[in-house]
Amino acid sequence: MRALRGIRGSFDKYWYGWAMAAPVVIVMLVLVGYPFFWGVYLSTTNADESNIGRDIGVNHIAPTYKSVGLHNYWDILSGNDGHFYSTLSWTLIWTFVNVFFHIAIGLGLAILLNRKIRFRAGYRLMLILPWAIPGFVAAFAWRLLYNDNGVFNAVLKFFGMHGVQWLSQPTSAKIAVIAVNVWMGVPFMMVSFLGGLQTIPSELYEAAEMDGASPWQRFRMVTLPGLRPVMMTVTLLGVIWTFNKFDVIFLVTEGGPAGSTDILVTHAYQVAFQNIRQYAEAASYGVVILSMLIVFATVYRRSQAKLEVQA
Amino acid sequence: MSRRHHRNKRSPLASAAIHATLIAASFIAIFPIAWVALTSLKTGNGQWAHPGDFSHLNFGNYSKVLNDTDFLTWFGNSILVSVLTMALAVFIAATCGYAVSRMRFPGYRATMWLLLIVQMFPIAVLIVPLYNLMSKLHLVNSYAGLVLVYLTTAVPYCAWMLKGYFDTIPIEIDEAGKVDGLNPFGTFWRLVLPLARPGLAVVAFYSFLTAWAEVAFANTFMQGSDKYTLAVGLRTFVSQYKGEWGLMTASSVLIAIPAAVMFLLVQRNLVAGLTSGSAKG
């Protein structure tokens, strides 16, 4: 009896909270949880377009794929599929180079904008514009610049050089997509750092100046430590976003030429939806990508927490 | 040594260097956008392929985009999908954000954890199983299917951010509501929600933009030109077989102007929420 009252008591007490949180939790469980476990299951089968089963008119064709255990993972991780390690190394380069330039350029511009200078609001507005443009519009804009008959080649020819087929050679295509993504990502970092810089008390700078610290020492001893919380957040977000940055690669090069600019997510997408749809292999790629991100986020958080304890 | 009197005093040379750097950076930031706007005014077949020729400037591409292509259909589809996503996401994210901000209930920690982890999910893990799920439910090539998918990306961030916003509203407001005999729903709806308008505006904008600019799902799920959103439709202007850059640039300008204006209006709040929200986690 008492136990029953206890249950009813907790229901009375908590049902508002449950009711208000329920819609989101249900949406997440149905649209993320279920597909996630379904994806993990698919990754252990040989499902593809031909055997997944479908409805044609009123006829239902039953699925005929079967379990293959960890074969797909073995195929990917042993390098047998011929794409994983080359794509992975390019994905890591892509992520590192992008995040490095985002942070370096964003921080540099934020420090310049944080000074008392004329036209500050005007500069800020112009520098933030790449963020205000929808990503797919920006991607097409850059494709126009890179076009064989585009403005970059016109400039090269004006100076008597040969035009470059920017998006048709692996190396220049890689540089091209990185340039697009750096261009798109800098404003977010700049604005985040600008917010962080404004929280550093100016007394700290004055005290450092009294102690005779050089500008470089002030930057290292006052600015960087003051930006630590922001730096940690934007690095984590930046790595996760860049690692999964689908639209720039997909819209600018479609992974080409010959898959050389494909990162893991776009490669998985091509596997899933181009030519014969290899659902199982794509799902395995998905699980591998997610595992890597979880490992990264955990290690990163741990190391940051350790630094905080030491500081 | 004499330079170190005060930070506001700077040699003219240093000032010039700062302005030069900022002007160069601003030029790089603006150039691709300005170039698209300029190219959109170059009318005539292949005129875009002559970067140095500015002799045929008029609005011909714009009238062609509006009259002879499906641009307006795509625009309508994008608006429809984005507005539906926004309305649903803001509503359910607000109730959830309020619940985790004010109430401690069994499952509270699990809910917070769920919101955080889902934000990290890469689409590639989900796109295949979601596609299978949607085709089982006959929601492929439908607006409803796309809206449901966008909710998964928009809602966790919105709920997370709104929780942060509700945390800044004094708890005394809720207590006053309780004293006046309102139940928690009433307090939320009549007292807290009106105070949270700025926060709601930001998440509304964020969820709108998530749907507005999404490429991968729209590209997979929508299969006929009558159902395309802008991100998918625009791709048909420039493919392996044709390069209608006049149409492409004109429609880019038509899409970018409203988006940029809205963005510049709310961007300050957007960043504050983004970094403070996730820093707390």
Side-chain angles (χ1 to χ4, degrees):
Chain A
M1 196 61 198
R2 178 179 280 171
L4 196 65
R5 201 180 305 139
I7 290 168
R8 182 180 292 161
S10 72
F11 184 78
D12 282 346
K13 199 160 127 207
Y14 297 127
W15 85 274
Y16 286 111
W18 282 335
M20 291 180 95
V24 167
V25 173
I26 291 170
V27 166
M28 293 299 114
L29 289 182
V30 173
L31 290 173
V32 180
Y34 170 78
F36 171 67
F37 288 109
W38 175 245
V40 173
Y41 166 72
L42 268 187
S43 73
T44 65
T45 68
N46 63 353
D48 62 24
E49 197 175 6
S50 64
N51 58 21
I52 190 89
R54 72 197 113 171
D55 295 307
I56 299 175
V58 289
N59 299 318
H60 179 70
I61 299 174
T64 55
Y65 57 83
K66 54 184 194 299
S67 167
V68 294
L70 296 178
H71 171 81
N72 291 319
Y73 293 104
W74 173 246
D75 206 36
I76 291 171
L77 295 176
S78 68
N80 281 346
D81 77 331
H83 292 287
F84 179 68
Y85 287 101
S86 55
T87 313
L88 175 65
S89 57
W90 160 239
T91 308
L92 293 176
I93 296 171
W94 154 264
T95 308
F96 178 79
V97 173
N98 271 309
V99 174
F100 174 80
F101 280 116
H102 284 157
I103 289 181
I105 300 175
L107 182 59
L109 291 175
I111 288 173
L112 291 185
L113 279 183
N114 198 37
R115 292 162 172 246
K116 287 204 175 73
I117 46 167
R118 241 190 280 185
F119 313 122
R120 185 158 88 175
Y123 286 132
R124 190 174 178 284
L125 184 71
M126 287 190 282
L127 289 171
I128 215 171
L129 263 185
W131 190 14
I133 302 298
F136 66 94
V137 171
F140 289 125
W142 278 86
R143 255 174 76 175
L144 176 63
L145 303 183
Y146 286 134
N147 193 286
D148 291 348
N149 295 313
V151 67
F152 288 160
N153 279 346
V155 171
L156 286 181
K157 279 174 192 157
F158 181 80
F159 288 108
M161 282 178 273
H162 287 290
V164 177
Q165 291 196 306
W166 293 98
L167 302 179
S168 325
Q169 297 148 12
T171 313
S172 61
K174 283 176 179 179
I175 295 171
V177 284
I178 287 181
V180 177
N181 199 45
V182 168
W183 182 83
M184 281 170 70
V186 162
F188 169 76
M189 296 291 179
M190 183 188 83
V191 174
S192 304
F193 285 131
L194 210 47
L197 285 174
Q198 277 153 9
T199 64
I200 301 176
S202 58
E203 291 83 34
L204 285 182
Y205 285 106
E206 281 157 23
E209 249 170 286
M210 300 258 237
D211 294 343
S214 69
W216 171 245
Q217 283 171 325
R218 288 202 298 268
F219 174 74
R220 273 201 34 220
M221 301 308 192
V222 181
T223 310
L224 278 186
L227 286 178
R228 263 186 53 87
V230 180
M231 185 73 90
M232 177 178 167
T233 307
V234 297
T235 310
L236 186 63
L237 282 177
V239 168
I240 292 175
W241 285 346
T242 312
F243 200 87
N244 291 329
K245 190 83 185 179
F246 180 86
D247 50 358
V248 169
I249 305 260
F250 185 72
L251 292 177
V252 176
T253 64
E254 276 195 65
S260 58
T261 54
D262 257 331
I263 55 174
L264 288 172
V265 271
T266 57
H267 177 69
Y269 182 87
Q270 313 274 22
V271 170
F273 293 104
Q274 236 147 49
N275 303 324
I276 300 171
R277 300 178 163 194
Q278 306 284 352
Y279 292 132
E281 196 192 332
S284 320
Y285 260 99
V287 174
V288 171
I289 293 168
L290 186 64
S291 323
M292 288 196 274
L293 284 175
I294 288 177
V295 169
F296 167 75
T298 321
V299 170
Y300 186 74
R301 290 233 169 221
R302 288 252 171 86
S303 68
Q304 292 292 327
K306 211 179 263 173
L307 277 179
E308 228 140 73
V309 172
Q310 284 168 358
Chain B
M1 278 291 141
S2 61
R3 270 199 289 125
R4 196 164 19 87
H5 284 313
H6 201 275
R7 285 205 303 144
N8 294 338
K9 281 187 193 149
R10 210 181 294 128
S11 73
L13 199 67
S15 278
I18 290 173
H19 280 283
T21 315
L22 286 174
I23 288 170
S26 302
F27 176 78
I28 295 171
I30 287 184
F31 179 74
I33 304 166
W35 191 256
V36 164
L38 191 62
T39 307
S40 72
L41 298 173
K42 292 186 182 177
T43 311
N45 239 346
Q47 197 56 27
W48 60 270
H50 303 284
D53 177 5
F54 300 109
S55 54
H56 301 77
L57 297 189
N58 58 53
F59 288 95
N61 287 323
Y62 288 89
S63 68
K64 206 172 163 197
V65 161
L66 294 175
N67 296 324
D68 304 342
T69 69
D70 286 338
F71 179 78
L72 287 176
T73 315
W74 302 334
F75 202 91
N77 291 342
S78 275
I79 294 268
L80 178 71
V81 170
S82 309
V83 167
L84 282 176
T85 306
M86 177 179 80
L88 278 170
V90 170
F91 182 71
I92 68 174
T95 57
C96 179
Y98 182 73
V100 290
S101 164
R102 290 295 201 266
M103 306 170 193
R104 290 292 170 270
F105 48 90
Y108 160 81
R109 288 189 66 87
T111 310
M112 293 293 287
W113 182 82
L114 191 70
L115 292 178
L116 236 163
I117 207 87
V118 170
Q119 291 187 58
M120 272 178 41
F121 260 62
I123 44 159
V125 199
L126 293 180
I127 200 160
V128 169
L130 265 175
Y131 184 82
N132 295 155
L133 176 69
M134 289 298 168
S135 45
K136 256 185 238 163
L137 299 172
H138 301 284
L139 285 176
V140 168
N141 203 23
S142 79
Y143 303 122
L146 208 55
V147 170
L148 280 175
V149 167
Y150 290 161
L151 283 182
T152 63
T153 26
V155 162
Y157 169 76
C158 292
W160 191 255
M161 161 137 190
L162 279 175
K163 179 213 178 278
Y165 201 88
F166 290 137
D167 284 346
T168 65
I169 296 177
I171 195 114
E172 285 78 29
I173 305 264
D174 300 59
E175 280 158 8
K178 213 175 191 177
V179 172
D180 290 347
L182 286 173
N183 64 26
F185 293 140
T187 312
F188 166 69
W189 189 253
R190 294 209 201 148
L191 299 180
V192 178
L193 218 47
L195 288 174
R197 253 186 229 137
L200 293 175
V202 172
V203 294
F205 174 77
Y206 176 86
S207 44
F208 184 91
L209 216 65
T210 305
W212 185 254
E214 202 280 335
V215 177
F217 281 109
N219 211 36
T220 317
F221 283 30
M222 301 316 235
Q223 290 158 349
S225 183
D226 59 322
K227 290 284 173 59
Y228 282 173
T229 58
L230 285 167
V232 187
L234 247 60
R235 283 187 81 213
T236 63
F237 287 155
V238 283
S239 63
Q240 280 164 299
Y241 313 106
K242 58 177 179 177
E244 299 271 15
W245 284 103
L247 299 180
M248 169 66 92
T249 49
S251 30
S252 294
V253 172
L254 291 175
I255 297 164
I257 287 175
V261 169
M262 268 174 38
F263 178 86
L264 294 173
L265 289 178
V266 296
Q267 44 92 9
R268 263 170 206 276
N269 304 318
L270 199 67
V271 180
L274 210 70
T275 42
S276 76
S278 37
K280 269 182 218 150

